[in-house]
Amino acid sequence: QAADPSGDRVVTWAEFEELLEDEEAVAYLASLELDATATRFLFSILDDGDGRVSVDEFVHGALRLKGHARSSDVISIMSDCGKLLKKISIVENLLVSLNETCTIRDI
């Protein structure tokens, strides 16, 4: 709730920065063995460019940074793959649409 004062289940960069000013929130992150730098990095790799991250994505990512699964490289690669899959899907949809509007004689 502290991370999402608007209640929309999405954390914006501004909400996130505000959260990192809260001593209780910083203490909670510390209990997860996460410091402000790690959580800022996590937000930036989970963000798909719109400055927003769903609460579920952030919690899932934070838990992956904790303990043995603490590999920011792996999380970064997973994030990049997710972003690429979204872009590939857009290109695929555009190609299907283009194919539907063109005929062989048009080419």
Side-chain angles (χ1 to χ4, degrees):
Q1 290 176 334
D4 182 26
S6 62
D8 60 358
R9 306 276 308 147
V10 173
V11 179
T12 65
W13 182 253
E15 289 172 335
F16 181 71
E17 284 291 318
E18 205 170 298
L19 176 72
L20 293 180
E21 305 270 329
D22 183 321
E23 289 181 26
E24 285 184 38
V26 171
Y28 175 73
L29 292 170
S31 74
L32 295 175
E33 300 174 7
L34 296 171
D35 63 11
T37 302
T39 54
R40 280 186 177 94
F41 174 71
L42 175 62
F43 188 98
S44 71
I45 61 174
L46 293 176
D47 177 17
D48 62 4
D50 64 358
R52 301 161 35 111
V53 174
S54 79
V55 172
D56 294 334
E57 286 176 317
F58 187 81
V59 169
H60 184 69
L63 292 175
R64 291 182 145 244
L65 278 178
K66 185 180 181 300
H68 297 293
R70 184 181 280 201
S71 173
S72 58
D73 291 334
V74 171
I75 291 174
S76 180
I77 290 168
M78 289 174 59
S79 174
D80 290 344
C81 286
K83 291 173 187 175
L84 284 172
L85 285 173
K86 286 180 185 178
K87 289 180 181 184
I88 289 170
S89 178
I90 291 169
V91 170
E92 179 183 27
N93 290 337
L94 289 171
L95 288 172
V96 167
S97 177
L98 182 62
N99 187 43
E100 290 171 354
T101 59
C102 293
T103 62
I104 292 182
R105 62 188 161 135
D106 291 338
I107 298 176

XYZ file of all heavy atoms in Angstrom:
822
model
N 0.822 -1.192 0.000
C 0.000 0.000 0.000
C 0.863 1.251 0.000
O 0.515 2.229 -0.644
C -0.936 0.002 1.193
C -2.029 -1.044 1.077
C -2.893 -1.082 2.330
O -2.446 -0.729 3.400
N -4.118 -1.525 2.160
N 1.956 1.207 0.726
C 2.837 2.370 0.770
C 3.431 2.649 -0.606
O 3.641 3.799 -0.976
C 3.949 2.158 1.783
N 3.678 1.600 -1.375
C 4.266 1.758 -2.698
C 3.242 2.210 -3.726
O 3.600 2.724 -4.773
C 4.901 0.455 -3.154
N 1.963 2.028 -3.420
C 0.904 2.318 -4.388
C -0.205 3.155 -3.754
O -1.320 2.672 -3.563
C 0.345 0.993 -4.925
C -0.722 1.181 -5.985
O -0.710 2.215 -6.664
O -1.570 0.286 -6.114
N 0.088 4.412 -3.423
C -0.922 5.234 -2.749
C -2.174 5.478 -3.592
O -3.248 5.694 -3.059
C -0.191 6.544 -2.444
C 0.981 6.569 -3.352
C 1.323 5.131 -3.642
N -2.050 5.396 -4.902
C -3.212 5.613 -5.770
C -4.132 4.395 -5.797
O -5.284 4.494 -6.209
C -2.758 5.964 -7.194
O -2.020 4.894 -7.745
N -3.616 3.222 -5.391
C -4.429 2.013 -5.329
C -4.723 1.372 -6.671
O -5.582 0.497 -6.769
N -3.986 1.749 -7.710
C -4.250 1.196 -9.043
C -3.406 -0.033 -9.372
O -3.401 -0.514 -10.497
C -4.064 2.268 -10.120
C -2.651 2.847 -10.151
O -1.809 2.453 -9.308
O -2.390 3.708 -11.010
N -2.683 -0.566 -8.380
C -1.828 -1.759 -8.522
C -0.657 -1.512 -9.477
O -0.065 -2.434 -10.005
C -2.607 -3.000 -8.964
C -3.797 -3.359 -8.124
C -3.530 -4.162 -6.888
N -2.747 -5.356 -7.126
C -1.891 -5.830 -6.224
N -1.729 -5.228 -5.085
N -1.207 -6.916 -6.463
N -0.346 -0.239 -9.707
C 0.785 0.143 -10.543
C 1.598 1.180 -9.777
O 1.039 2.081 -9.163
C 0.308 0.739 -11.892
C 1.464 1.286 -12.689
C -0.443 -0.304 -12.704
N 2.912 1.016 -9.797
C 3.800 1.961 -9.129
C 4.474 2.808 -10.195
O 5.108 2.273 -11.107
C 4.865 1.220 -8.278
C 5.801 2.213 -7.616
C 4.206 0.332 -7.243
N 4.289 4.116 -10.090
C 4.969 5.024 -11.011
C 6.355 5.341 -10.452
O 6.634 5.082 -9.271
C 4.185 6.336 -11.180
O 4.180 7.027 -9.926
C 2.765 6.082 -11.668
N 7.201 5.920 -11.294
C 8.542 6.290 -10.837
C 8.434 7.285 -9.680
O 9.161 7.181 -8.694
C 9.368 6.857 -11.985
C 10.754 7.208 -11.552
C 11.263 8.451 -11.358
C 11.808 6.302 -11.207
N 12.560 8.382 -10.919
C 12.921 7.070 -10.825
C 11.912 4.914 -11.190
C 14.127 6.504 -10.429
C 13.123 4.359 -10.793
C 14.212 5.148 -10.424
N 7.503 8.241 -9.778
C 7.337 9.245 -8.716
C 6.905 8.574 -7.407
O 7.428 8.902 -6.331
C 6.313 10.292 -9.145
N 5.958 7.632 -7.485
C 5.526 6.907 -6.288
C 6.679 6.103 -5.706
O 6.851 6.031 -4.483
C 4.361 5.965 -6.616
C 3.060 6.656 -6.907
C 1.977 5.712 -7.409
O 2.303 4.643 -7.988
O 0.792 6.055 -7.231
N 7.476 5.532 -6.584
C 8.599 4.716 -6.153
C 9.649 5.564 -5.433
O 10.141 5.197 -4.367
C 9.202 3.996 -7.356
C 10.353 3.124 -6.995
C 10.153 1.953 -6.296
C 11.642 3.475 -7.360
C 11.226 1.138 -5.954
C 12.713 2.666 -7.023
C 12.498 1.498 -6.324
N 9.966 6.720 -6.015
C 10.945 7.615 -5.384
C 10.438 8.086 -4.024
O 11.207 8.181 -3.066
C 11.221 8.820 -6.290
C 12.120 8.503 -7.460
C 13.545 8.196 -7.029
O 14.097 8.881 -6.152
O 14.123 7.245 -7.581
N 9.143 8.349 -3.925
C 8.544 8.754 -2.660
C 8.660 7.622 -1.631
O 8.925 7.857 -0.458
C 7.075 9.114 -2.892
C 6.513 10.074 -1.890
C 5.153 10.567 -2.309
O 5.050 11.212 -3.368
O 4.191 10.283 -1.567
N 8.457 6.407 -2.096
C 8.567 5.245 -1.224
C 9.968 5.148 -0.618
O 10.130 4.823 0.557
C 8.245 3.972 -2.005
C 8.419 2.657 -1.257
C 7.307 2.494 -0.225
C 8.422 1.487 -2.225
N 10.978 5.426 -1.420
C 12.356 5.310 -0.945
C 12.730 6.413 0.039
O 13.802 6.370 0.639
C 13.326 5.278 -2.126
C 13.227 4.032 -3.002
C 14.231 4.092 -4.143
C 13.417 2.754 -2.198
N 11.845 7.377 0.232
C 12.043 8.417 1.248
C 11.469 7.975 2.601
O 11.757 8.565 3.624
C 11.349 9.712 0.816
C 11.759 10.216 -0.547
C 12.934 11.152 -0.484
O 13.065 11.856 0.522
O 13.710 11.170 -1.456
N 10.642 6.930 2.575
C 9.962 6.435 3.773
C 10.881 5.472 4.524
O 11.289 4.447 3.990
C 8.670 5.729 3.356
C 7.849 5.234 4.524
O 8.424 4.748 5.515
O 6.614 5.308 4.423
N 11.188 5.799 5.777
C 12.115 4.980 6.569
C 11.606 3.556 6.777
O 12.389 2.606 6.744
C 12.379 5.637 7.924
C 13.223 6.887 7.839
C 13.490 7.504 9.195
O 13.476 6.778 10.207
O 13.729 8.723 9.230
N 10.302 3.394 6.978
C 9.737 2.056 7.172
C 9.883 1.217 5.904
O 10.207 0.030 5.971
C 8.263 2.144 7.571
C 8.043 2.571 8.998
C 6.579 2.551 9.375
O 5.855 1.627 8.936
O 6.165 3.467 10.095
N 9.640 1.836 4.768
C 9.753 1.117 3.497
C 11.203 0.709 3.245
O 11.473 -0.412 2.821
C 9.234 1.973 2.348
N 12.127 1.628 3.528
C 13.556 1.326 3.345
C 13.964 0.196 4.288
O 14.716 -0.705 3.893
C 14.413 2.590 3.554
C 15.895 2.255 3.582
C 14.115 3.610 2.464
N 13.437 0.203 5.511
C 13.749 -0.864 6.469
C 13.188 -2.201 5.972
O 13.847 -3.240 6.092
C 13.179 -0.528 7.838
N 11.979 -2.173 5.403
C 11.387 -3.404 4.866
C 12.237 -3.936 3.712
O 12.529 -5.135 3.658
C 9.952 -3.158 4.395
C 9.350 -4.364 3.738
C 8.975 -5.475 4.500
C 9.180 -4.425 2.364
C 8.440 -6.606 3.905
C 8.647 -5.550 1.762
C 8.272 -6.632 2.533
O 7.760 -7.750 1.937
N 12.640 -3.050 2.807
C 13.498 -3.478 1.699
C 14.810 -4.047 2.226
O 15.322 -5.036 1.699
C 13.740 -2.317 0.733
C 12.523 -1.859 -0.053
C 12.824 -0.555 -0.790
C 12.057 -2.929 -1.024
N 15.351 -3.428 3.280
C 16.597 -3.922 3.881
C 16.394 -5.317 4.457
O 17.290 -6.160 4.386
C 17.083 -2.958 4.951
N 15.197 -5.577 4.992
C 14.924 -6.916 5.535
C 14.902 -7.960 4.419
O 15.109 -9.140 4.658
C 13.608 -6.933 6.313
O 12.495 -6.900 5.436
N 14.641 -7.502 3.197
C 14.691 -8.391 2.031
C 16.083 -8.419 1.404
O 16.280 -8.978 0.329
C 13.679 -7.938 0.972
C 12.209 -8.019 1.343
C 11.357 -7.423 0.228
C 11.806 -9.453 1.616
N 17.039 -7.772 2.099
C 18.424 -7.670 1.632
C 18.517 -6.859 0.345
O 19.342 -7.131 -0.529
C 19.043 -9.056 1.438
C 19.064 -9.884 2.698
C 19.552 -11.301 2.453
O 19.994 -11.623 1.338
O 19.478 -12.108 3.400
N 17.664 -5.842 0.232
C 17.677 -4.951 -0.928
C 17.949 -3.533 -0.456
O 17.312 -3.058 0.481
C 16.328 -4.983 -1.651
C 15.921 -6.309 -2.270
C 14.484 -6.230 -2.746
C 16.849 -6.662 -3.417
N 18.881 -2.862 -1.114
C 19.110 -1.466 -0.785
C 18.458 -0.580 -1.847
O 17.925 -1.071 -2.837
C 20.602 -1.156 -0.631
C 21.389 -1.369 -1.915
O 20.792 -1.551 -2.982
O 22.629 -1.347 -1.840
N 18.493 0.710 -1.633
C 17.835 1.645 -2.549
C 18.399 1.536 -3.966
O 17.654 1.584 -4.945
C 17.968 3.072 -2.026
N 19.703 1.340 -4.088
C 20.319 1.228 -5.414
C 19.790 0.001 -6.151
O 19.434 0.078 -7.323
C 21.852 1.154 -5.295
O 22.316 2.310 -4.615
C 22.504 1.062 -6.653
N 19.720 -1.123 -5.454
C 19.226 -2.357 -6.081
C 17.770 -2.222 -6.492
O 17.382 -2.677 -7.565
C 19.399 -3.545 -5.132
N 16.969 -1.563 -5.653
C 15.555 -1.437 -5.989
C 15.337 -0.440 -7.123
O 14.452 -0.631 -7.947
C 14.711 -1.056 -4.756
O 15.253 0.104 -4.157
C 14.671 -2.184 -3.753
N 16.148 0.599 -7.188
C 16.062 1.537 -8.329
C 16.424 0.792 -9.619
O 15.783 0.969 -10.654
C 16.985 2.726 -8.120
C 16.435 3.777 -7.203
C 17.340 5.018 -7.154
N 16.763 6.038 -6.325
C 17.038 6.206 -5.033
N 17.904 5.416 -4.432
N 16.465 7.166 -4.343
N 17.477 -0.012 -9.548
C 17.882 -0.807 -10.708
C 16.759 -1.754 -11.113
O 16.425 -1.880 -12.288
C 19.160 -1.591 -10.382
C 19.577 -2.552 -11.451
C 20.084 -2.103 -12.652
C 19.451 -3.918 -11.251
C 20.470 -2.986 -13.644
C 19.824 -4.807 -12.237
C 20.339 -4.345 -13.435
N 16.156 -2.408 -10.135
C 15.061 -3.329 -10.398
C 13.911 -2.605 -11.086
O 13.378 -3.083 -12.087
C 14.579 -3.968 -9.091
C 13.358 -4.879 -9.198
C 13.652 -6.067 -10.098
C 12.932 -5.346 -7.812
N 13.537 -1.444 -10.570
C 12.447 -0.685 -11.185
C 12.793 -0.368 -12.639
O 11.962 -0.536 -13.534
C 12.177 0.607 -10.408
C 10.942 1.337 -10.874
C 9.747 1.182 -10.191
C 10.969 2.172 -11.980
C 8.606 1.838 -10.611
C 9.838 2.827 -12.405
C 8.644 2.664 -11.721
N 14.014 0.072 -12.878
C 14.395 0.475 -14.240
C 14.388 -0.694 -15.223
O 14.035 -0.516 -16.382
C 15.765 1.162 -14.241
O 16.795 0.239 -13.983
N 14.725 -1.896 -14.767
C 14.716 -3.018 -15.711
C 13.325 -3.607 -15.877
O 13.032 -4.203 -16.913
C 15.743 -4.118 -15.357
C 15.478 -4.733 -14.003
C 17.146 -3.602 -15.469
C 16.368 -5.913 -13.681
N 12.455 -3.422 -14.884
C 11.088 -3.919 -15.023
C 10.210 -2.951 -15.812
O 9.232 -3.355 -16.426
C 10.459 -4.169 -13.646
C 11.060 -5.302 -12.836
C 10.405 -5.360 -11.459
C 10.932 -6.631 -13.547
N 10.577 -1.680 -15.800
C 9.816 -0.650 -16.510
C 9.966 -0.855 -18.010
O 11.066 -0.969 -18.529
C 10.351 0.723 -16.105
C 9.678 1.867 -16.835
O 8.586 1.662 -17.410
O 10.244 2.970 -16.821
N 8.822 -0.905 -18.712
C 8.885 -1.098 -20.161
C 8.959 0.218 -20.922
O 8.734 0.266 -22.127
C 7.708 -1.940 -20.649
C 6.370 -1.296 -20.388
O 6.336 -0.149 -19.898
O 5.345 -1.937 -20.688
N 9.280 1.294 -20.216
C 9.468 2.578 -20.871
C 8.399 3.605 -20.550
O 8.527 4.765 -20.923
N 7.342 3.201 -19.851
C 6.271 4.144 -19.540
C 6.367 4.717 -18.130
O 5.500 5.466 -17.698
C 4.894 3.516 -19.766
C 4.607 2.337 -18.842
O 5.493 1.965 -18.048
O 3.496 1.784 -18.934
N 7.438 4.369 -17.409
C 7.625 4.891 -16.066
C 6.728 4.262 -15.029
O 6.521 4.817 -13.957
N 6.182 3.082 -15.359
C 5.259 2.399 -14.455
C 5.594 0.917 -14.399
O 5.983 0.333 -15.392
C 3.820 2.542 -14.956
C 3.359 3.959 -15.086
C 2.135 4.142 -15.982
N 1.168 3.074 -15.927
C -0.046 3.187 -15.406
N -0.444 4.320 -14.899
N -0.884 2.169 -15.417
N 5.419 0.325 -13.212
C 5.631 -1.107 -13.017
C 4.483 -1.613 -12.160
O 4.129 -0.981 -11.162
C 6.981 -1.383 -12.312
C 7.139 -2.851 -11.969
C 8.141 -0.920 -13.173
N 3.910 -2.746 -12.547
C 2.828 -3.285 -11.715
C 3.408 -3.728 -10.377
O 4.571 -4.123 -10.283
C 2.129 -4.456 -12.407
O 2.881 -5.640 -12.285
N 2.583 -3.642 -9.348
C 3.017 -4.043 -8.014
C 3.455 -5.501 -8.024
O 4.491 -5.859 -7.455
C 1.883 -3.805 -6.980
C 2.246 -4.406 -5.636
C 1.588 -2.320 -6.850
N 2.687 -6.355 -8.708
C 3.030 -7.783 -8.769
C 4.380 -8.008 -9.436
O 5.185 -8.816 -8.966
C 1.938 -8.561 -9.513
C 0.617 -8.562 -8.763
O 0.632 -8.422 -7.520
O -0.424 -8.689 -9.419
N 4.639 -7.307 -10.541
C 5.931 -7.441 -11.224
C 7.074 -7.020 -10.304
O 8.116 -7.669 -10.253
C 5.986 -6.559 -12.476
C 5.182 -7.044 -13.634
C 5.227 -6.047 -14.780
O 5.106 -4.835 -14.535
O 5.368 -6.499 -15.924
N 6.856 -5.921 -9.587
C 7.915 -5.424 -8.726
C 8.203 -6.390 -7.588
O 9.360 -6.700 -7.311
C 7.575 -4.033 -8.169
C 8.722 -3.438 -7.418
C 9.755 -2.821 -8.102
C 8.804 -3.542 -6.042
C 10.841 -2.309 -7.425
C 9.886 -3.030 -5.355
C 10.901 -2.407 -6.041
N 7.158 -6.882 -6.940
C 7.353 -7.828 -5.830
C 8.036 -9.088 -6.335
O 8.982 -9.590 -5.728
C 6.004 -8.153 -5.144
C 6.143 -9.309 -4.177
C 5.470 -6.915 -4.430
N 7.574 -9.596 -7.475
C 8.175 -10.799 -8.060
C 9.661 -10.558 -8.360
O 10.514 -11.381 -8.047
C 7.407 -11.192 -9.323
C 7.872 -12.441 -9.957
N 7.695 -13.684 -9.394
C 8.535 -12.652 -11.126
C 8.221 -14.604 -10.190
N 8.737 -14.002 -11.233
N 9.959 -9.418 -8.958
C 11.349 -9.087 -9.269
C 12.191 -8.915 -8.017
O 13.337 -9.366 -7.965
N 11.624 -8.279 -6.982
C 12.361 -8.080 -5.728
C 12.694 -9.419 -5.086
O 13.802 -9.619 -4.583
C 11.540 -7.220 -4.765
N 11.752 -10.337 -5.118
C 12.011 -11.657 -4.528
C 13.065 -12.420 -5.322
O 13.821 -13.204 -4.762
C 10.710 -12.459 -4.432
C 9.702 -11.904 -3.428
C 8.404 -12.695 -3.487
C 10.267 -11.890 -2.021
N 13.138 -12.168 -6.616
C 14.164 -12.828 -7.427
C 15.552 -12.276 -7.135
O 16.550 -12.963 -7.303
C 13.861 -12.681 -8.918
C 12.658 -13.477 -9.304
C 12.391 -13.362 -10.791
N 11.879 -14.652 -11.178
C 12.470 -15.481 -12.025
N 13.556 -15.133 -12.637
N 11.963 -16.647 -12.277
N 15.623 -11.009 -6.723
C 16.913 -10.418 -6.370
C 17.414 -10.898 -5.012
O 18.577 -10.766 -4.692
C 16.807 -8.890 -6.321
C 16.905 -8.153 -7.629
C 16.738 -6.666 -7.394
C 18.225 -8.416 -8.330
N 16.515 -11.437 -4.213
C 16.858 -11.847 -2.850
C 17.532 -13.221 -2.839
O 17.187 -14.087 -3.611
C 15.567 -11.899 -2.017
C 15.789 -12.185 -0.569
C 14.444 -12.200 0.139
C 14.572 -12.456 1.603
N 15.192 -13.702 1.955
N 18.472 -13.385 -1.954
C 19.076 -14.691 -1.713
C 19.832 -15.266 -2.897
O 20.536 -14.560 -3.597
N 19.659 -16.572 -3.123
C 20.441 -17.279 -4.134
C 20.119 -16.845 -5.561
O 20.938 -16.981 -6.455
C 20.225 -18.790 -4.003
C 20.698 -19.337 -2.707
N 22.027 -19.373 -2.361
C 20.022 -19.837 -1.650
C 22.156 -19.884 -1.153
N 20.947 -20.171 -0.695
N 18.924 -16.362 -5.774
C 18.528 -15.960 -7.126
C 18.979 -14.538 -7.437
O 18.497 -13.926 -8.359
C 17.011 -16.069 -7.276
N 19.927 -14.025 -6.693
C 20.357 -12.642 -6.839
C 21.289 -12.488 -8.037
O 22.487 -12.365 -7.914
C 21.064 -12.191 -5.583
C 21.451 -10.741 -5.614
C 22.153 -10.397 -4.382
N 21.134 -10.187 -3.378
C 21.312 -9.508 -2.283
N 22.474 -9.005 -2.009
N 20.329 -9.349 -1.436
N 20.731 -12.462 -9.194
C 21.540 -12.233 -10.376
C 20.884 -11.157 -11.217
O 19.945 -11.410 -11.955
C 21.678 -13.522 -11.181
O 22.332 -13.242 -12.389
N 21.376 -9.947 -11.062
C 20.777 -8.839 -11.801
C 20.934 -9.036 -13.305
O 20.101 -8.570 -14.077
C 21.378 -7.512 -11.361
O 22.771 -7.510 -11.544
N 21.979 -9.745 -13.721
C 22.149 -10.014 -15.144
C 21.001 -10.860 -15.686
O 20.451 -10.579 -16.747
C 23.477 -10.721 -15.419
C 24.668 -9.828 -15.176
O 24.514 -8.597 -15.278
O 25.751 -10.364 -14.888
N 20.631 -11.899 -14.943
C 19.545 -12.776 -15.375
C 18.234 -12.004 -15.414
O 17.459 -12.099 -16.372
C 19.417 -14.013 -14.456
C 18.167 -14.802 -14.772
C 20.649 -14.896 -14.603
N 17.970 -11.210 -14.389
C 16.729 -10.438 -14.347
C 16.706 -9.428 -15.491
O 15.686 -9.224 -16.143
C 16.559 -9.756 -12.981
C 16.302 -10.827 -11.920
C 15.416 -8.757 -13.001
C 16.267 -10.296 -10.510
N 17.837 -8.808 -15.747
C 17.914 -7.849 -16.844
C 17.640 -8.523 -18.184
O 16.900 -7.999 -19.020
C 19.299 -7.188 -16.858
O 19.390 -6.266 -17.906
N 18.209 -9.696 -18.385
C 17.987 -10.440 -19.628
C 16.521 -10.836 -19.755
O 15.927 -10.721 -20.832
C 18.907 -11.681 -19.698
C 20.356 -11.233 -19.898
C 18.469 -12.629 -20.802
C 21.376 -12.335 -19.699
N 15.924 -11.284 -18.651
C 14.507 -11.655 -18.689
C 13.645 -10.449 -19.047
O 12.707 -10.553 -19.833
C 14.076 -12.230 -17.341
C 14.654 -13.607 -17.068
S 14.289 -14.196 -15.404
C 12.522 -14.195 -15.404
N 13.970 -9.307 -18.476
C 13.225 -8.082 -18.776
C 13.377 -7.708 -20.243
O 12.392 -7.390 -20.917
C 13.730 -6.941 -17.890
O 13.125 -5.734 -18.263
N 14.610 -7.746 -20.741
C 14.849 -7.428 -22.150
C 14.104 -8.388 -23.069
O 13.536 -7.971 -24.080
C 16.351 -7.474 -22.466
C 17.121 -6.333 -21.831
O 16.481 -5.344 -21.400
O 18.363 -6.427 -21.765
N 14.080 -9.662 -22.716
C 13.353 -10.643 -23.523
C 11.860 -10.338 -23.548
O 11.217 -10.426 -24.600
C 13.589 -12.062 -23.006
S 15.221 -12.699 -23.388
N 11.318 -9.963 -22.400
C 9.901 -9.607 -22.335
C 9.588 -8.412 -23.216
O 8.585 -8.392 -23.938
N 10.457 -7.405 -23.172
C 10.271 -6.209 -24.004
C 10.370 -6.573 -25.486
O 9.588 -6.093 -26.308
C 11.296 -5.145 -23.644
C 11.062 -4.540 -22.275
C 12.199 -3.603 -21.889
C 12.061 -3.123 -20.461
N 13.189 -2.306 -20.019
N 11.341 -7.426 -25.824
C 11.494 -7.852 -27.215
C 10.285 -8.646 -27.703
O 9.825 -8.472 -28.838
C 12.761 -8.688 -27.388
C 14.065 -7.912 -27.408
C 15.251 -8.874 -27.377
C 14.153 -7.026 -28.630
N 9.759 -9.514 -26.842
C 8.581 -10.295 -27.230
C 7.388 -9.395 -27.529
O 6.644 -9.644 -28.479
C 8.225 -11.304 -26.140
C 9.133 -12.522 -26.065
C 8.794 -13.364 -24.836
C 9.014 -13.365 -27.327
N 7.212 -8.341 -26.733
C 6.132 -7.393 -26.992
C 6.319 -6.725 -28.349
O 5.376 -6.590 -29.127
C 6.064 -6.329 -25.898
C 5.497 -6.820 -24.600
C 5.464 -5.703 -23.566
C 5.006 -6.206 -22.225
N 5.011 -5.146 -21.208
N 7.548 -6.297 -28.636
C 7.830 -5.623 -29.905
C 7.667 -6.580 -31.079
O 7.143 -6.203 -32.128
C 9.229 -5.011 -29.885
C 9.312 -3.818 -28.955
C 10.700 -3.218 -28.929
C 10.725 -2.053 -27.956
N 12.000 -1.374 -27.944
N 8.108 -7.817 -30.917
C 7.964 -8.812 -31.980
C 6.491 -9.079 -32.252
O 6.073 -9.210 -33.410
C 8.714 -10.107 -31.620
C 10.230 -9.866 -31.709
C 8.292 -11.261 -32.521
C 11.073 -10.992 -31.156
N 5.696 -9.125 -31.215
C 4.261 -9.338 -31.373
C 3.634 -8.195 -32.163
O 2.770 -8.422 -33.033
C 3.600 -9.466 -30.004
O 2.216 -9.636 -30.144
N 4.056 -6.972 -31.890
C 3.547 -5.816 -32.633
C 3.923 -5.927 -34.103
O 3.085 -5.716 -34.992
C 4.077 -4.505 -32.020
C 3.454 -4.283 -30.644
C 3.814 -3.319 -32.939
C 4.105 -3.165 -29.836
N 5.180 -6.268 -34.377
C 5.637 -6.417 -35.770
C 4.860 -7.537 -36.459
O 4.428 -7.396 -37.600
C 7.161 -6.681 -35.826
C 7.599 -7.076 -37.225
C 7.926 -5.456 -35.345
N 4.652 -8.647 -35.752
C 3.897 -9.764 -36.318
C 2.486 -9.325 -36.686
O 2.001 -9.622 -37.781
C 3.844 -10.917 -35.318
C 3.044 -12.107 -35.821
C 2.933 -13.209 -34.783
O 2.999 -12.907 -33.570
O 2.778 -14.366 -35.186
N 1.835 -8.603 -35.790
C 0.480 -8.128 -36.069
C 0.451 -7.176 -37.260
O -0.466 -7.223 -38.084
C -0.122 -7.457 -34.836
C -0.425 -8.445 -33.732
O -0.604 -9.634 -33.975
N -0.463 -7.959 -32.509
N 1.462 -6.319 -37.362
C 1.548 -5.411 -38.506
C 1.746 -6.177 -39.815
O 1.149 -5.852 -40.837
C 2.674 -4.397 -38.307
C 2.431 -3.329 -37.254
C 3.714 -2.531 -37.004
C 1.307 -2.402 -37.674
N 2.579 -7.207 -39.777
C 2.814 -8.014 -40.977
C 1.561 -8.774 -41.398
O 1.259 -8.870 -42.593
C 3.975 -8.980 -40.761
C 5.363 -8.343 -40.727
C 6.412 -9.368 -40.318
C 5.709 -7.725 -42.068
N 0.832 -9.301 -40.447
C -0.419 -9.996 -40.755
C -1.396 -9.015 -41.386
O -2.037 -9.318 -42.394
C -1.019 -10.652 -39.485
C -2.447 -11.094 -39.719
C -0.154 -11.829 -39.046
N -1.498 -7.836 -40.813
C -2.391 -6.810 -41.340
C -1.972 -6.399 -42.750
O -2.813 -6.262 -43.647
C -2.394 -5.596 -40.422
O -3.193 -4.577 -40.941
N -0.685 -6.217 -42.953
C -0.171 -5.851 -44.269
C -0.443 -6.957 -45.282
O -0.853 -6.688 -46.417
C 1.331 -5.569 -44.182
C 2.029 -5.133 -45.460
C 1.457 -3.812 -45.956
C 3.514 -5.007 -45.222
N -0.248 -8.189 -44.883
C -0.491 -9.334 -45.745
C -1.958 -9.399 -46.160
O -2.275 -9.738 -47.303
C -0.073 -10.625 -45.054
C -0.157 -11.821 -45.959
O 0.237 -11.751 -47.130
N -0.674 -12.918 -45.446
N -2.844 -9.071 -45.251
C -4.273 -9.108 -45.548
C -4.673 -8.022 -46.532
O -5.630 -8.190 -47.286
C -5.086 -8.968 -44.254
C -4.988 -10.183 -43.358
C -5.607 -9.959 -41.990
O -6.021 -8.817 -41.667
O -5.672 -10.943 -41.223
N -3.947 -6.913 -46.557
C -4.307 -5.822 -47.452
C -3.609 -5.892 -48.804
O -4.005 -5.205 -49.732
C -3.987 -4.455 -46.800
O -2.605 -4.376 -46.498
C -4.810 -4.243 -45.558
N -2.587 -6.696 -48.880
C -1.850 -6.818 -50.153
C -2.201 -8.123 -50.856
O -2.535 -9.127 -50.236
C -0.338 -6.819 -49.881
S 0.277 -5.269 -49.269
N -2.108 -8.077 -52.173
C -2.225 -9.316 -52.952
C -0.900 -9.513 -53.671
O -0.069 -8.619 -53.734
C -3.365 -9.205 -53.983
O -3.064 -8.151 -54.897
C -4.708 -8.964 -53.303
N -0.727 -10.675 -54.227
C 0.540 -10.987 -54.916
C 0.756 -10.020 -56.074
O 1.866 -9.583 -56.320
C 0.553 -12.459 -55.384
C 0.604 -13.341 -54.150
C 1.714 -12.721 -56.326
C 0.666 -14.814 -54.420
N -0.276 -9.636 -56.769
C -0.075 -8.726 -57.919
C 0.307 -7.324 -57.469
O 0.844 -6.561 -58.249
C -1.314 -8.682 -58.798
C -2.523 -8.161 -58.129
C -3.740 -8.338 -58.991
N -4.847 -8.219 -58.081
C -5.909 -7.520 -58.301
N -6.065 -6.918 -59.448
N -6.866 -7.447 -57.413
N 0.030 -6.963 -56.204
C 0.434 -5.671 -55.686
C 1.941 -5.586 -55.483
O 2.507 -4.512 -55.460
C -0.258 -5.371 -54.343
C -1.749 -5.123 -54.499
O -2.174 -4.768 -55.617
O -2.478 -5.323 -53.507
N 2.559 -6.721 -55.336
C 3.997 -6.739 -55.049
C 4.780 -6.685 -56.282
O 5.051 -6.240 -57.140
C 4.377 -8.030 -54.290
C 3.637 -8.043 -52.971
C 5.858 -8.124 -54.086
C 3.844 -9.291 -52.167
